[in-house]
Amino acid sequence: MLPSDMIKGLSLPVIAAPMFLVSGPEIVIAACRSGVVGAFPTLNQRTTDGYVQWLEQVEEGLALGPEPGVKQLGPHAVNLIVHKTNPRLEPDLKVTVEHRVPIVITSLGAAKEVVGAVHSYGGLVFHDVVSIRQAEKALAAGVDGIIGVCAGAGGHAGTMNPFALLYELRRLTDKTLILAGVVSTGAQVAAAIVAGADLVSVGTRFIATRESMASAAYKEMITRSSAADIVYTPKISGVNASFISQSITDAGLDLATLQHEGPIDMGAELSVDSKAWRDIWSAGQGVGAIRDIPATAELVRRMRAEYGGALDRALALRK
Ligand SMILES: Cc1cc2nc3c(=O)[nH]c(=O)nc-3n(C[C@H](O)[C@H](O)[C@H](O)COP(=O)(O)O)c2cc1C
């Protein structure tokens, strides 16, 4: 089946977002078997050979077919960091093509060569952006969809309000539009769709699931946090990102005196040994809606019920 048809058949218009040091094959398998898109960053494995092993594990897991009650498997996706300081880009892209990974989520750079390689086997490229200018560049490179990362998102969040971002992105393109940021419930997925998104990329909510690779302490801190506990700062990794303030304090750091020096080196920042993401925990402002650590399948079932309920309520309001 073509990846575009797999998108049409999703049980819920959701991508379980790729998250550095958090998403691996188990969450991808569980998400896809629940009928949504599952994704991991290739850099979550230390080497390209390790990445190949994870892809094989996912392919094996998906051979089990969808969960009972789910019509169709969701497609799996990987995240590639397209930046000159990422030495893994070329070998990881080669493996991605060999394994015909249905969806590739690109971050930082949108390169025509990457898009061409993924299109060669019918795969789709969705590109992360935080501004309209970045979206224009990505569309010029031929990507199939834009992931608009809004203010308050986990990871390298943007600063635009989601309504403003969606509106301006939709004015730019009819291609697949994905909202990323602060969506933790099925009702919020429905709100994003009503506001103009085709899909929603949900990150922070999936950190607190059984299959995520986050530590038990990280998951528990999420269930205790609220939006006011999230700080947006360039001081941890050199790029603006969202972190839970308690984890910064627990690591013995004080944002008031902390300086991050030197140019951006994605190869170093996104290495599995990176202290920034391993010891200081990222989450978005959607944390306040997260109070448990369910299995991924249970979470997707719950979100589907909330999504249906929200759409029913909206329809009932129609005059
Ligand atoms: C811990 C963490 C790590 C992340 N790592 C990546 C990454 O490696 N690549 C990427 O494209 N996005 C990454 N993101 C962003 C997510 O893919 C997604 O866009 C974001 O989490 C959505 O916002 P939300 O967390 O508010 O749901 C990360 C987010 C978090 C919370």
Side-chain angles (χ1 to χ4, degrees):
M1 191 187 294
L2 282 172
S4 48
D5 291 329
M6 294 174 93
I7 291 281
K8 284 181 205 139
L10 293 178
S11 67
L12 182 71
V14 158
I15 298 174
M19 289 180 282
F20 185 53
L21 305 186
V22 170
S23 12
E26 290 185 359
I27 200 164
V28 169
I29 294 166
C32 295
R33 295 192 67 215
S34 299
V36 300
V37 181
F40 65 67
T42 66
L43 295 183
N44 276 358
Q45 265 284 17
R46 199 176 281 275
T47 61
T48 297
D49 285 345
Y51 168 42
V52 172
Q53 280 168 22
W54 271 14
L55 280 179
E56 287 169 357
Q57 193 178 331
V58 167
E59 287 155 4
E60 230 169 79
L62 297 187
L64 294 170
E67 286 280 337
V70 175
K71 284 202 195 96
Q72 178 181 308
L73 283 174
H76 58 289
V78 297
N79 172 226
L80 290 177
I81 305 292
V82 182
H83 194 269
K84 57 183 186 311
T85 56
N86 175 17
R88 288 271 301 276
L89 177 60
E90 212 181 295
D92 287 1
L93 179 61
K94 187 165 170 278
V95 163
T96 304
V97 172
E98 281 164 8
H99 283 258
R100 305 169 75 93
V101 177
I103 299 172
V104 175
I105 293 172
T106 50
S107 302
L108 297 180
K112 277 200 178 92
E113 305 71 47
V114 175
V115 174
V118 177
H119 283 177
S120 72
Y121 62 89
L124 298 174
V125 179
F126 295 158
H127 185 70
D128 277 333
V129 307
V130 294
S131 71
I132 304 306
R133 181 73 197 111
Q134 287 177 356
E136 285 169 344
K137 283 194 198 160
L139 289 166
V143 302
D144 305 285
I146 297 288
I147 305 177
V149 186
C150 69
H156 292 145
T159 53
M160 273 180 88
N161 174 286
F163 285 120
L165 183 60
L166 274 179
Y167 191 90
E168 292 195 26
L169 287 175
R170 186 48 89 203
R171 195 162 53 191
L172 207 61
T173 181
D174 288 334
K175 288 186 170 174
T176 304
L177 206 54
I178 302 139
L179 179 68
V182 201
V183 172
S184 298
T185 71
Q188 291 165 343
V189 174
I193 300 296
V194 170
D198 298 303
L199 293 172
V200 184
S201 185
V202 178
T204 300
R205 173 60 270 199
F206 282 97
I207 300 173
T209 58
R210 275 195 226 152
E211 292 85 354
S212 105
M213 302 190 305
S215 65
Y218 184 178
K219 294 178 190 181
E220 275 155 26
M221 190 176 282
I222 284 189
T223 66
R224 289 195 309 271
S225 298
S226 298
D229 300 312
I230 305 304
V231 289
Y232 182 62
T233 176
K235 290 185 174 178
I236 303 297
S237 72
V239 182
N240 270 307
S242 303
F243 294 95
I244 311 176
S245 55
Q246 184 67 48
S247 71
I248 299 176
T249 316
D250 290 353
L253 300 175
D254 179 359
L255 277 187
T257 53
L258 196 65
Q259 298 288 340
H260 190 284
E261 284 165 17
I264 297 171
D265 181 347
M266 283 295 155
E269 191 207 336
L270 299 181
S271 110
V272 287
D273 300 317
S274 161
K275 245 182 100 58
W277 296 82
R278 192 193 60 211
D279 299 341
I280 302 166
W281 297 331
S282 176
Q285 291 180 9
V287 280
I290 305 169
R291 290 294 175 260
D292 61 357
I293 306 169
T296 298
E298 186 192 330
L299 174 62
V300 175
R301 268 197 301 276
R302 180 196 305 166
M303 289 178 77
R304 277 167 61 190
E306 293 167 344
Y307 177 73
L311 290 179
D312 287 347
R313 279 198 303 284
L315 266 183
L317 290 173
R318 206 170 161 187
K319 298 235 167 33

